[in-house]
Amino acid sequence: MNKELHIPYQNYKGEYSVREVQPITLSYKNSEWHGDCWHLEAYDIGKQAKREFDVDKIIRGVVHFTLKSVGENTHESKVDGIMNKIKGGGL
């Protein structure tokens, strides 16, 4: 049984999109692209390739699209502020 997820994501260029993926593994490791962090390894259906997603970039995507859906400003400084609160335990 395939379990697809639609994940909001911010890529290395700072662009946001929603990716349709089939998760494979979740692990904490170092990679050339993302450094030390949690990675979701998944098959990206749109790209038709296995990819690694930095979980922080998924969370940034959730914040961005949530702000957008309620009509709030999605400027990166606002997303950064919310991310800092999440990481600092302030939410």
Side-chain angles (χ1 to χ4, degrees), residues 2 19 22-23 26-27 29 39 47 55-57 60 64 66 76 79 88:
N2 292 335
R19 308 285 275 277
Q22 295 173 336
L26 177 66
S27 60
K29 64 180 182 176
H39 293 82
K47 305 271 184 195
V55 172
D56 275 356
K57 299 288 187 172
R60 286 185 74 82
H64 172 85
T66 300
E76 282 303 294
V79 175

Side-chain angles (χ1 to χ4, degrees), residues 5 9 19 30-32 37 47 52 58-59 68 72 89:
L5 294 176
Y9 192 70
R19 308 285 275 277
N30 181 283
S31 79
E32 176 183 350
C37 65
K47 305 271 184 195
E52 286 190 355
I58 296 171
I59 296 169
K68 188 175 182 178
E72 290 285 329

Side-chain angles (χ1 to χ4, degrees), residues 19-81:
R19 308 285 275 277
E20 185 177 8
V21 302
Q22 295 173 336
I24 299 168
T25 62
L26 177 66
S27 60
Y28 189 86
K29 64 180 182 176
N30 181 283
S31 79
E32 176 183 350
W33 294 103
H34 304 293
D36 288 328
C37 65
W38 284 98
H39 293 82
L40 172 66
E41 182 181 1
Y43 182 78
D44 186 322
I45 294 169
K47 305 271 184 195
Q48 296 191 345
K50 193 183 294 185
R51 297 278 198 248
E52 286 190 355
F53 298 91
D54 175 343
V55 172
D56 275 356
K57 299 288 187 172
I58 296 171
I59 296 169
R60 286 185 74 82
V62 170
V63 169
H64 172 85
F65 284 107
T66 300
L67 290 172
K68 188 175 182 178
S69 74
V70 296
E72 290 285 329
N73 179 356
T74 59
H75 190 273
E76 282 303 294
S77 63
K78 185 159 191 159
V79 175
D80 288 341

